[in-house]
Amino acid sequence: MEHTGTELRRGWTTGSCATAAAKAAWLMLLGHEPPASVTITLPGGQRPTFTLCRTGLDHGHPFAEVVKDAGDDPDITHGAIIRATVRRLPAGSGVQFRAGPGVGMVTRPGLPIPPGEPAINPTPRAMIRTALTEANNGTLPDAEVTLSIEDGARLAERTLNSRLGITGGLSVLGTTGIVVPFSCAAWIDSIHRGIDVARAEGLTHIAGSTGNVSEKSVQKFYDLPDTALIEMGDFVGGMLKYLRRHPVPRLTIAGGIAKMTKLGQGKLDLHSKRGQADMAALAQLAATGGAPAPVTDAIATCPTVAEAFLLTTAAHIPLGTLIAQSALRTVEETLAPAPCAVDVMVFDRSGQCVGQAGPSLPQT
């Protein structure tokens, strides 16, 4: 995709790259010369053209490879080589999918693909069927499509796949075929899939955390299994809006002092680039807890929430609890009318709980 002025460059999903590779490989199986490029149809009707980086035979079966271009998005699979290998199946077999090296297998229920299937999501599967039909003169062929991602097993270690029950590699993802820079669609999708897995396992209590320290701390506090842990990061809004439609009986929100402060001030995207904490509002919050004027004046001019927290700690003001209470209000307003009991826990950098609001469960 081309730049348009200063606009960030969009890219292609792994599903789009796999689709282009599969179409090229099928054309080769039909006896065509290995193509230099192929054009595919995206779910929205767009018709992009992909350049093939390599073609050949794998144990007699044609394959084609595409280098993934994620545009200006910080996608861990940018530059990864996506391979599709195809072979003809007996009449009536339809299109069957296999996981090659670097593509994971689904092992838990709750995902869009059932356990025992390769982690190739429904939209990429549909795109590949369409592409094979185009290459096969308008008729859906009987074909086996094996997808591989070079170095995919190592890259998968940097994702949430293992927690979701996807083992051995990456997922082949994409709903539109296009990667929008900094949309963080893959992360938000993993949040949704984590909730789906927890619900499928019948879990009644899940915890969304902003980072590693708060996640480990809330897991220990409530003795939660790994599948109950949702690494929401900065995307608390993405998690809460999904839970509003797919509720669970019990939810704990766990995070650091600064991010929970922003949540309490109504922000649902907690990334620093999307806004800082309002220190004047934090000073007013401290005043409701009995902070005297000299302390609130100092908080209003503090450069960081952490520094403000130190001031209130010295003055014996329960700022952590006040932050948790304000965050709880935001969470409950966002979740309504979902029937979900919620509590909020605020942790410092050492993992110590410095504030909690809402009903708590007994430690076990």
Side-chain angles (χ1 to χ4, degrees), residues 41 96 114 353:
T41 303
Q96 300 180 13
C353 181

Side-chain angles (χ1 to χ4, degrees), residues 76-91:
I76 64 166
T77 57
H78 177 70
I81 297 175
I82 316 296
R83 171 187 283 204
T85 305
V86 299
R87 71 182 182 95
R88 197 185 297 275
L89 294 179

Side-chain angles (χ1 to χ4, degrees), residues 81-294:
I81 297 175
I82 316 296
R83 171 187 283 204
T85 305
V86 299
R87 71 182 182 95
R88 197 185 297 275
L89 294 179
S93 299
V95 177
Q96 300 180 13
F97 294 91
R98 300 287 180 266
V103 171
M105 294 292 294
V106 177
T107 64
R108 288 194 182 117
L111 295 171
I113 300 300
E117 280 285 314
I120 304 167
N121 273 14
T123 298
R125 291 179 183 231
M127 289 169 61
I128 289 171
R129 291 188 181 98
T130 297
L132 295 184
T133 300
E134 292 174 350
N136 201 53
N137 298 315
T139 302
L140 181 68
D142 298 295
E144 179 185 83
V145 180
T146 300
L147 300 183
S148 307
I149 301 176
E150 186 176 286
D151 211 21
R154 183 185 64 82
L155 291 173
E157 295 174 359
R158 297 163 56 189
T159 72
L160 301 178
N161 275 13
S162 61
R163 181 174 296 172
L164 295 175
I166 298 171
T167 61
L170 292 164
S171 305
V172 178
L173 301 172
T175 54
T176 65
I178 300 170
V179 174
V180 178
F182 295 97
S183 69
C184 298
W187 191 328
I188 293 172
D189 182 72
S190 72
I191 291 171
H192 296 174
R193 300 294 77 78
I195 293 168
D196 291 343
V197 167
R199 284 165 49 88
E201 292 191 355
L203 299 184
T204 58
H205 184 192
I206 67 173
S209 62
T210 59
N212 189 53
V213 171
S214 58
E215 180 178 86
K216 289 183 177 179
S217 299
V218 74
Q219 181 178 32
K220 182 178 179 181
F221 187 88
Y222 282 125
D223 191 26
L224 295 171
D226 286 347
T227 47
L229 305 176
I230 310 298
E231 190 179 332
M232 66 180 183
D234 294 320
F235 305 109
V236 61
M239 186 186 74
L240 295 177
K241 291 171 185 176
Y242 193 74
L243 283 169
R244 189 167 59 203
R245 303 191 304 274
H246 309 277
V248 294
R250 180 79 188 205
L251 169 68
T252 299
I253 298 292
I257 298 166
K259 290 189 184 295
M260 290 299 96
T261 296
K262 291 198 285 186
L263 178 59
Q265 294 174 353
K267 294 180 173 63
L268 296 178
D269 184 338
L270 306 181
H271 196 284
S272 58
K273 291 182 179 178
R274 257 77 77 185
Q276 301 295 325
D278 184 335
M279 300 307 292
L282 185 61
Q284 292 175 358
L285 183 65
T288 67

